[in-house]
mmCIF file of all heavy atoms in Angstrom:
data_model
loop_
_atom_site.group_PDB
_atom_site.id
_atom_site.type_symbol
_atom_site.label_atom_id
_atom_site.label_comp_id
_atom_site.label_asym_id
_atom_site.label_seq_id
_atom_site.Cartn_x
_atom_site.Cartn_y
_atom_site.Cartn_z
ATOM 1 N N ARG B 283 0.846 -1.199 -0.010
ATOM 2 C CA ARG B 283 0.013 0.012 -0.050
ATOM 3 C C ARG B 283 0.750 1.280 -0.008
ATOM 4 O O ARG B 283 0.351 2.300 -0.366
ATOM 5 C CB ARG B 283 -0.864 0.063 1.201
ATOM 6 C CG ARG B 283 -1.954 -0.976 1.216
ATOM 7 C CD ARG B 283 -2.747 -0.956 2.477
ATOM 8 N NE ARG B 283 -3.887 -1.944 2.627
ATOM 9 C CZ ARG B 283 -4.594 -2.114 3.491
ATOM 10 N NH1 ARG B 283 -4.461 -1.327 4.633
ATOM 11 N NH2 ARG B 283 -5.500 -3.037 3.583
ATOM 12 N N GLY B 284 2.073 1.199 0.528
ATOM 13 C CA GLY B 284 2.955 2.305 0.557
ATOM 14 C C GLY B 284 2.790 3.030 1.862
ATOM 15 O O GLY B 284 1.802 2.802 2.571
ATOM 16 N N ALA B 285 3.570 3.979 2.039
ATOM 17 C CA ALA B 285 3.538 4.810 3.280
ATOM 18 C C ALA B 285 2.346 5.872 3.097
ATOM 19 O O ALA B 285 2.514 6.784 2.321
ATOM 20 C CB ALA B 285 4.806 5.591 3.511
ATOM 21 N N ALA B 286 1.291 5.598 3.872
ATOM 22 C CA ALA B 286 0.114 6.490 3.783
ATOM 23 C C ALA B 286 0.107 7.378 5.039
ATOM 24 O O ALA B 286 0.003 6.905 6.135
ATOM 25 C CB ALA B 286 -1.098 5.662 3.646
ATOM 26 N N VAL B 287 0.188 8.694 4.816
ATOM 27 C CA VAL B 287 0.217 9.584 5.998
ATOM 28 C C VAL B 287 -1.203 9.932 6.344
ATOM 29 O O VAL B 287 -1.472 10.211 7.582
ATOM 30 C CB VAL B 287 1.130 10.747 5.646
ATOM 31 C CG1 VAL B 287 0.929 11.953 6.619
ATOM 32 C CG2 VAL B 287 2.543 10.459 5.417
ATOM 33 N N LEU B 288 -2.055 10.074 5.364
ATOM 34 C CA LEU B 288 -3.455 10.511 5.633
ATOM 35 C C LEU B 288 -4.136 9.823 6.779
ATOM 36 O O LEU B 288 -4.801 10.378 7.646
ATOM 37 C CB LEU B 288 -4.256 10.422 4.413
ATOM 38 C CG LEU B 288 -5.697 11.064 4.538
ATOM 39 C CD1 LEU B 288 -5.600 12.553 4.879
ATOM 40 C CD2 LEU B 288 -6.385 10.895 3.165
ATOM 41 N N PRO B 289 -4.085 8.485 6.886
ATOM 42 C CA PRO B 289 -4.766 7.857 8.058
ATOM 43 C C PRO B 289 -4.258 8.327 9.438
ATOM 44 O O PRO B 289 -5.075 8.494 10.294
ATOM 45 C CB PRO B 289 -4.592 6.374 7.821
ATOM 46 C CG PRO B 289 -4.275 6.136 6.370
ATOM 47 C CD PRO B 289 -3.606 7.541 5.973
ATOM 48 N N PHE B 290 -2.967 8.618 9.475
ATOM 49 C CA PHE B 290 -2.408 9.106 10.753
ATOM 50 C C PHE B 290 -2.807 10.572 11.066
ATOM 51 O O PHE B 290 -3.140 10.907 12.152
ATOM 52 C CB PHE B 290 -0.925 9.006 10.665
ATOM 53 C CG PHE B 290 -0.390 7.594 10.628
ATOM 54 C CD1 PHE B 290 0.019 7.019 9.460
ATOM 55 C CD2 PHE B 290 -0.367 6.859 11.789
ATOM 56 C CE1 PHE B 290 0.422 5.813 9.414
ATOM 57 C CE2 PHE B 290 0.064 5.494 11.739
ATOM 58 C CZ PHE B 290 0.430 5.053 10.504
ATOM 59 N N VAL B 291 -3.001 11.314 10.031
ATOM 60 C CA VAL B 291 -3.472 12.690 10.177
ATOM 61 C C VAL B 291 -4.989 12.664 10.543
ATOM 62 O O VAL B 291 -5.382 13.436 11.547
ATOM 63 C CB VAL B 291 -3.339 13.521 8.858
ATOM 64 C CG1 VAL B 291 -3.984 14.847 8.960
ATOM 65 C CG2 VAL B 291 -1.840 13.715 8.585
ATOM 66 N N ILE B 292 -5.779 11.829 9.952
ATOM 67 C CA ILE B 292 -7.226 11.722 10.288
ATOM 68 C C ILE B 292 -7.354 11.173 11.689
ATOM 69 O O ILE B 292 -8.044 11.673 12.441
ATOM 70 C CB ILE B 292 -7.914 10.813 9.294
ATOM 71 C CG1 ILE B 292 -8.017 11.522 7.921
ATOM 72 C CG2 ILE B 292 -9.301 10.329 9.846
ATOM 73 C CD1 ILE B 292 -8.404 10.517 6.772
ATOM 74 N N ALA B 293 -6.498 10.264 12.145
ATOM 75 C CA ALA B 293 -6.536 9.728 13.522
ATOM 76 C C ALA B 293 -6.288 10.784 14.469
ATOM 77 O O ALA B 293 -6.952 10.929 15.439
ATOM 78 C CB ALA B 293 -5.524 8.557 13.644
ATOM 79 N N PHE B 294 -5.249 11.625 14.280
ATOM 80 C CA PHE B 294 -4.898 12.681 15.202
ATOM 81 C C PHE B 294 -6.113 13.691 15.283
ATOM 82 O O PHE B 294 -6.422 14.173 16.401
ATOM 83 C CB PHE B 294 -3.582 13.421 14.884
ATOM 84 C CG PHE B 294 -3.288 14.342 15.954
ATOM 85 C CD1 PHE B 294 -2.928 13.955 17.252
ATOM 86 C CD2 PHE B 294 -3.342 15.677 15.731
ATOM 87 C CE1 PHE B 294 -2.551 14.898 18.295
ATOM 88 C CE2 PHE B 294 -2.940 16.660 16.655
ATOM 89 C CZ PHE B 294 -2.600 16.231 17.858
ATOM 90 N N ALA B 295 -6.578 14.056 14.139
ATOM 91 C CA ALA B 295 -7.768 15.026 14.137
ATOM 92 C C ALA B 295 -8.989 14.452 14.808
ATOM 93 O O ALA B 295 -9.570 15.161 15.674
ATOM 94 C CB ALA B 295 -8.137 15.350 12.732
ATOM 95 N N ALA B 296 -9.191 13.271 14.670
ATOM 96 C CA ALA B 296 -10.208 12.508 15.386
ATOM 97 C C ALA B 296 -10.027 12.532 16.927
ATOM 98 O O ALA B 296 -10.842 12.759 17.752
ATOM 99 C CB ALA B 296 -10.489 11.130 14.901
ATOM 100 N N GLN B 297 -8.769 12.306 17.316
ATOM 101 C CA GLN B 297 -8.369 12.333 18.756
ATOM 102 C C GLN B 297 -8.576 13.696 19.311
ATOM 103 O O GLN B 297 -8.984 13.924 20.501
ATOM 104 C CB GLN B 297 -6.904 11.942 18.907
ATOM 105 C CG GLN B 297 -6.522 10.628 18.320
ATOM 106 C CD GLN B 297 -6.705 9.438 19.269
ATOM 107 O OE1 GLN B 297 -6.701 9.524 20.421
ATOM 108 N NE2 GLN B 297 -6.612 8.265 18.664
ATOM 109 N N LEU B 298 -8.320 14.802 18.556
ATOM 110 C CA LEU B 298 -8.504 16.103 19.048
ATOM 111 C C LEU B 298 -9.918 16.341 19.274
ATOM 112 O O LEU B 298 -10.318 16.938 20.302
ATOM 113 C CB LEU B 298 -7.949 17.206 18.089
ATOM 114 C CG LEU B 298 -6.509 17.544 18.090
ATOM 115 C CD1 LEU B 298 -6.070 18.385 16.932
ATOM 116 C CD2 LEU B 298 -6.093 18.294 19.469
ATOM 117 N N ILE B 299 -10.823 15.986 18.295
ATOM 118 C CA ILE B 299 -12.222 16.183 18.482
ATOM 119 C C ILE B 299 -12.773 15.347 19.638
ATOM 120 O O ILE B 299 -13.498 15.905 20.469
ATOM 121 C CB ILE B 299 -12.995 15.786 17.186
ATOM 122 C CG1 ILE B 299 -12.604 16.758 16.119
ATOM 123 C CG2 ILE B 299 -14.473 15.788 17.412
ATOM 124 C CD1 ILE B 299 -12.950 16.335 14.615
ATOM 125 N N MET B 300 -12.291 14.056 19.752
ATOM 126 C CA MET B 300 -12.697 13.250 20.942
ATOM 127 C C MET B 300 -12.378 13.890 22.152
ATOM 128 O O MET B 300 -13.121 13.862 23.195
ATOM 129 C CB MET B 300 -12.117 11.878 20.808
ATOM 130 C CG MET B 300 -12.572 10.801 21.714
ATOM 131 S SD MET B 300 -11.863 9.293 21.496
ATOM 132 C CE MET B 300 -12.464 8.746 19.860
ATOM 133 N N ALA B 301 -11.168 14.377 22.374
ATOM 134 C CA ALA B 301 -10.663 14.991 23.639
ATOM 135 C C ALA B 301 -11.479 16.244 23.853
ATOM 136 O O ALA B 301 -11.881 16.569 25.056
ATOM 137 C CB ALA B 301 -9.211 15.265 23.600
ATOM 138 N N TRP B 302 -11.763 17.051 22.913
ATOM 139 C CA TRP B 302 -12.560 18.235 23.029
ATOM 140 C C TRP B 302 -14.031 17.939 23.531
ATOM 141 O O TRP B 302 -14.544 18.541 24.467
ATOM 142 C CB TRP B 302 -12.597 19.016 21.744
ATOM 143 C CG TRP B 302 -13.377 20.310 21.701
ATOM 144 C CD1 TRP B 302 -13.054 21.456 22.389
ATOM 145 C CD2 TRP B 302 -14.580 20.571 21.062
ATOM 146 N NE1 TRP B 302 -14.091 22.423 22.167
ATOM 147 C CE2 TRP B 302 -15.051 21.837 21.332
ATOM 148 C CE3 TRP B 302 -15.461 19.743 20.243
ATOM 149 C CZ2 TRP B 302 -16.195 22.399 20.893
ATOM 150 C CZ3 TRP B 302 -16.579 20.296 19.764
ATOM 151 C CH2 TRP B 302 -16.970 21.646 20.040
ATOM 152 N N VAL B 303 -14.591 16.987 22.969
ATOM 153 C CA VAL B 303 -15.994 16.573 23.307
ATOM 154 C C VAL B 303 -15.990 15.985 24.793
ATOM 155 O O VAL B 303 -16.829 16.378 25.536
ATOM 156 C CB VAL B 303 -16.593 15.666 22.362
ATOM 157 C CG1 VAL B 303 -17.870 14.999 22.775
ATOM 158 C CG2 VAL B 303 -16.819 16.358 20.944
ATOM 159 N N LEU B 304 -15.044 15.205 25.075
ATOM 160 C CA LEU B 304 -14.873 14.694 26.416
ATOM 161 C C LEU B 304 -14.700 15.779 27.447
ATOM 162 O O LEU B 304 -15.362 15.726 28.518
ATOM 163 C CB LEU B 304 -13.772 13.600 26.491
ATOM 164 C CG LEU B 304 -13.653 12.852 27.784
ATOM 165 C CD1 LEU B 304 -14.932 12.199 28.164
ATOM 166 C CD2 LEU B 304 -12.525 11.948 27.754
ATOM 167 N N ALA B 305 -13.861 16.719 27.081
ATOM 168 C CA ALA B 305 -13.579 17.846 28.065
ATOM 169 C C ALA B 305 -14.995 18.628 28.147
ATOM 170 O O ALA B 305 -15.261 19.103 29.376
ATOM 171 C CB ALA B 305 -12.549 18.739 27.453
ATOM 172 N N GLY B 306 -15.778 18.839 27.118
ATOM 173 C CA GLY B 306 -16.999 19.498 27.206
ATOM 174 C C GLY B 306 -18.001 18.710 28.135
ATOM 175 O O GLY B 306 -18.700 19.389 28.928
ATOM 176 N N LEU B 307 -18.003 17.404 27.993
ATOM 177 C CA LEU B 307 -18.813 16.551 28.848
ATOM 178 C C LEU B 307 -18.448 16.608 30.368
ATOM 179 O O LEU B 307 -19.265 16.793 31.133
ATOM 180 C CB LEU B 307 -18.845 15.191 28.334
ATOM 181 C CG LEU B 307 -19.632 14.885 27.022
ATOM 182 C CD1 LEU B 307 -19.289 13.423 26.573
ATOM 183 C CD2 LEU B 307 -21.007 15.070 27.143
ATOM 184 N N LEU B 308 -17.139 16.539 30.476
ATOM 185 C CA LEU B 308 -16.646 16.609 31.894
ATOM 186 C C LEU B 308 -16.903 18.005 32.568
ATOM 187 O O LEU B 308 -17.209 18.201 33.707
ATOM 188 C CB LEU B 308 -15.144 16.370 31.987
ATOM 189 C CG LEU B 308 -14.840 14.990 31.745
ATOM 190 C CD1 LEU B 308 -13.276 14.679 31.578
ATOM 191 C CD2 LEU B 308 -15.218 14.058 32.853
ATOM 192 N N GLY B 309 -16.841 18.927 31.779
ATOM 193 C CA GLY B 309 -17.094 20.401 32.249
ATOM 194 C C GLY B 309 -18.511 20.552 32.812
ATOM 195 O O GLY B 309 -18.801 21.359 33.625
ATOM 196 N N HIS B 310 -19.500 19.731 32.319
ATOM 197 C CA HIS B 310 -20.858 19.725 32.769
ATOM 198 C C HIS B 310 -21.022 19.100 34.228
ATOM 199 O O HIS B 310 -22.050 19.235 34.755
ATOM 200 C CB HIS B 310 -21.827 19.149 31.766
ATOM 201 C CG HIS B 310 -22.082 19.889 30.591
ATOM 202 N ND1 HIS B 310 -21.277 20.065 29.538
ATOM 203 C CD2 HIS B 310 -23.115 20.768 30.366
ATOM 204 C CE1 HIS B 310 -21.829 20.950 28.678
ATOM 205 N NE2 HIS B 310 -22.968 21.367 29.196
ATOM 206 N N LEU B 311 -20.023 18.530 34.648
ATOM 207 C CA LEU B 311 -20.009 17.939 36.060
ATOM 208 C C LEU B 311 -20.062 19.089 37.112
ATOM 209 O O LEU B 311 -20.575 18.813 38.196
ATOM 210 C CB LEU B 311 -18.847 17.027 36.310
ATOM 211 C CG LEU B 311 -18.841 15.741 35.456
ATOM 212 C CD1 LEU B 311 -17.553 14.891 35.807
ATOM 213 C CD2 LEU B 311 -20.045 14.874 35.749
ATOM 214 N N GLY B 312 -19.439 20.224 36.801
ATOM 215 C CA GLY B 312 -19.564 21.312 37.718
ATOM 216 C C GLY B 312 -18.245 21.571 38.286
ATOM 217 O O GLY B 312 -17.246 20.717 38.229
ATOM 218 N N PRO B 313 -18.102 22.773 38.961
ATOM 219 C CA PRO B 313 -16.880 23.140 39.661
ATOM 220 C C PRO B 313 -16.427 22.174 40.697
ATOM 221 O O PRO B 313 -17.192 21.675 41.466
ATOM 222 C CB PRO B 313 -17.254 24.406 40.261
ATOM 223 C CG PRO B 313 -18.371 24.985 39.559
ATOM 224 C CD PRO B 313 -19.158 23.767 39.060
ATOM 225 N N GLY B 314 -15.174 21.782 40.754
ATOM 226 C CA GLY B 314 -14.638 20.919 41.626
ATOM 227 C C GLY B 314 -14.879 19.347 41.436
ATOM 228 O O GLY B 314 -14.482 18.535 42.218
ATOM 229 N N GLN B 315 -15.722 19.040 40.407
ATOM 230 C CA GLN B 315 -16.059 17.714 40.117
ATOM 231 C C GLN B 315 -15.262 17.027 39.023
ATOM 232 O O GLN B 315 -15.326 15.913 38.772
ATOM 233 C CB GLN B 315 -17.536 17.643 39.748
ATOM 234 C CG GLN B 315 -18.550 18.140 40.843
ATOM 235 C CD GLN B 315 -18.279 17.462 42.075
ATOM 236 O OE1 GLN B 315 -18.279 16.099 42.093
ATOM 237 N NE2 GLN B 315 -18.145 18.049 43.225
ATOM 238 N N VAL B 316 -14.439 17.831 38.317
ATOM 239 C CA VAL B 316 -13.615 17.285 37.256
ATOM 240 C C VAL B 316 -12.243 16.828 37.823
ATOM 241 O O VAL B 316 -11.425 17.652 38.129
ATOM 242 C CB VAL B 316 -13.361 18.308 36.127
ATOM 243 C CG1 VAL B 316 -12.532 17.753 34.903
ATOM 244 C CG2 VAL B 316 -14.667 18.678 35.585
ATOM 245 N N THR B 317 -12.123 15.542 38.091
ATOM 246 C CA THR B 317 -10.944 14.932 38.551
ATOM 247 C C THR B 317 -10.544 13.815 37.641
ATOM 248 O O THR B 317 -11.150 13.488 36.751
ATOM 249 C CB THR B 317 -11.355 14.291 39.993
ATOM 250 O OG1 THR B 317 -12.299 13.358 39.895
ATOM 251 C CG2 THR B 317 -11.848 15.392 40.983
ATOM 252 N N VAL B 318 -9.347 13.272 38.075
ATOM 253 C CA VAL B 318 -8.881 12.102 37.348
ATOM 254 C C VAL B 318 -9.921 10.952 37.322
ATOM 255 O O VAL B 318 -10.241 10.398 36.283
ATOM 256 C CB VAL B 318 -7.482 11.570 37.830
ATOM 257 C CG1 VAL B 318 -7.095 10.351 37.204
ATOM 258 C CG2 VAL B 318 -6.412 12.680 37.599
ATOM 259 N N ARG B 319 -10.326 10.683 38.582
ATOM 260 C CA ARG B 319 -11.422 9.636 38.755
ATOM 261 C C ARG B 319 -12.755 9.860 37.857
ATOM 262 O O ARG B 319 -13.081 9.037 37.137
ATOM 263 C CB ARG B 319 -11.816 9.516 40.192
ATOM 264 C CG ARG B 319 -12.724 8.463 40.522
ATOM 265 C CD ARG B 319 -13.000 8.330 42.044
ATOM 266 N NE ARG B 319 -13.765 7.240 42.435
ATOM 267 C CZ ARG B 319 -15.136 7.327 42.546
ATOM 268 N NH1 ARG B 319 -15.758 8.432 42.301
ATOM 269 N NH2 ARG B 319 -15.823 6.165 42.866
ATOM 270 N N SER B 320 -13.207 11.075 37.979
ATOM 271 C CA SER B 320 -14.377 11.373 37.224
ATOM 272 C C SER B 320 -14.062 11.375 35.716
ATOM 273 O O SER B 320 -15.020 11.003 34.879
ATOM 274 C CB SER B 320 -15.054 12.706 37.734
ATOM 275 O OG SER B 320 -14.317 13.770 37.287
ATOM 276 N N GLY B 321 -12.956 11.796 35.349
ATOM 277 C CA GLY B 321 -12.601 11.689 33.898
ATOM 278 C C GLY B 321 -12.575 10.334 33.366
ATOM 279 O O GLY B 321 -13.080 10.059 32.312
ATOM 280 N N VAL B 322 -11.902 9.444 34.088
ATOM 281 C CA VAL B 322 -11.840 8.011 33.670
ATOM 282 C C VAL B 322 -13.204 7.480 33.662
ATOM 283 O O VAL B 322 -13.622 6.646 32.691
ATOM 284 C CB VAL B 322 -10.855 7.272 34.619
ATOM 285 C CG1 VAL B 322 -10.860 5.821 34.247
ATOM 286 C CG2 VAL B 322 -9.438 7.694 34.333
ATOM 287 N N ILE B 323 -14.025 7.575 34.772
ATOM 288 C CA ILE B 323 -15.328 6.988 34.776
ATOM 289 C C ILE B 323 -16.242 7.515 33.658
ATOM 290 O O ILE B 323 -16.932 6.742 32.976
ATOM 291 C CB ILE B 323 -16.032 7.341 36.118
ATOM 292 C CG1 ILE B 323 -15.319 6.557 37.207
ATOM 293 C CG2 ILE B 323 -17.531 6.958 36.055
ATOM 294 C CD1 ILE B 323 -15.672 6.833 38.636
ATOM 295 N N SER B 324 -16.272 8.811 33.450
ATOM 296 C CA SER B 324 -16.990 9.427 32.310
ATOM 297 C C SER B 324 -16.530 8.846 30.915
ATOM 298 O O SER B 324 -17.428 8.583 30.085
ATOM 299 C CB SER B 324 -16.895 10.902 32.312
ATOM 300 O OG SER B 324 -17.410 11.468 33.490
ATOM 301 N N ALA B 325 -15.283 8.744 30.804
ATOM 302 C CA ALA B 325 -14.706 8.194 29.576
ATOM 303 C C ALA B 325 -15.181 6.726 29.288
ATOM 304 O O ALA B 325 -15.511 6.261 28.235
ATOM 305 C CB ALA B 325 -13.129 8.186 29.561
ATOM 306 N N ALA B 326 -15.114 5.954 30.374
ATOM 307 C CA ALA B 326 -15.619 4.545 30.295
ATOM 308 C C ALA B 326 -17.104 4.457 29.968
ATOM 309 O O ALA B 326 -17.547 3.622 29.134
ATOM 310 C CB ALA B 326 -15.452 3.785 31.608
ATOM 311 N N PHE B 327 -17.866 5.411 30.430
ATOM 312 C CA PHE B 327 -19.392 5.499 30.206
ATOM 313 C C PHE B 327 -19.482 5.859 28.658
ATOM 314 O O PHE B 327 -20.392 5.188 28.086
ATOM 315 C CB PHE B 327 -20.067 6.388 31.089
ATOM 316 C CG PHE B 327 -20.667 5.780 32.336
ATOM 317 C CD1 PHE B 327 -20.143 6.133 33.569
ATOM 318 C CD2 PHE B 327 -21.624 4.905 32.298
ATOM 319 C CE1 PHE B 327 -20.445 5.465 34.714
ATOM 320 C CE2 PHE B 327 -22.139 4.296 33.403
ATOM 321 C CZ PHE B 327 -21.623 4.640 34.662
ATOM 322 N N CYS B 328 -18.768 6.746 28.175
ATOM 323 C CA CYS B 328 -18.815 7.165 26.735
ATOM 324 C C CYS B 328 -18.410 5.999 25.962
ATOM 325 O O CYS B 328 -19.115 5.683 24.866
ATOM 326 C CB CYS B 328 -17.902 8.283 26.520
ATOM 327 S SG CYS B 328 -18.510 9.878 27.118
ATOM 328 N N TRP B 329 -17.399 5.226 26.286
ATOM 329 C CA TRP B 329 -16.953 4.121 25.513
ATOM 330 C C TRP B 329 -18.067 3.063 25.491
ATOM 331 O O TRP B 329 -18.414 2.510 24.496
ATOM 332 C CB TRP B 329 -15.709 3.503 26.157
ATOM 333 C CG TRP B 329 -15.328 2.231 25.435
ATOM 334 C CD1 TRP B 329 -14.459 2.068 24.387
ATOM 335 C CD2 TRP B 329 -15.442 0.873 25.959
ATOM 336 N NE1 TRP B 329 -14.219 0.823 24.157
ATOM 337 C CE2 TRP B 329 -14.893 0.084 25.075
ATOM 338 C CE3 TRP B 329 -16.184 0.384 27.007
ATOM 339 C CZ2 TRP B 329 -14.930 -1.383 25.210
ATOM 340 C CZ3 TRP B 329 -16.199 -0.999 27.097
ATOM 341 C CH2 TRP B 329 -15.591 -1.869 26.280
#
């Protein structure tokens, strides 16, 4: 297939969007509620 760069670029762009959306969801937990624990739990629920 050869060295294809596009899938890696798409993957990184998708990761940026995913992280942005996850941050937006976590932000809705409210002040003081965004922690490592709540981040991992929320991520697991999204998954």
Side-chain angles (χ1 to χ4, degrees):
R283 293 179 181 175
V287 175
L288 185 60
F290 295 99
V291 172
I292 291 170
F294 185 70
Q297 304 266 346
L298 275 173
I299 293 167
M300 189 179 291
W302 178 70
V303 170
L304 184 57
L307 290 171
L308 287 170
H310 281 82
L311 294 177
Q315 300 301 310
V316 180
T317 64
V318 171
R319 182 177 185 268
S320 66
V322 172
I323 290 170
S324 297
F327 272 108
C328 288
W329 176 82

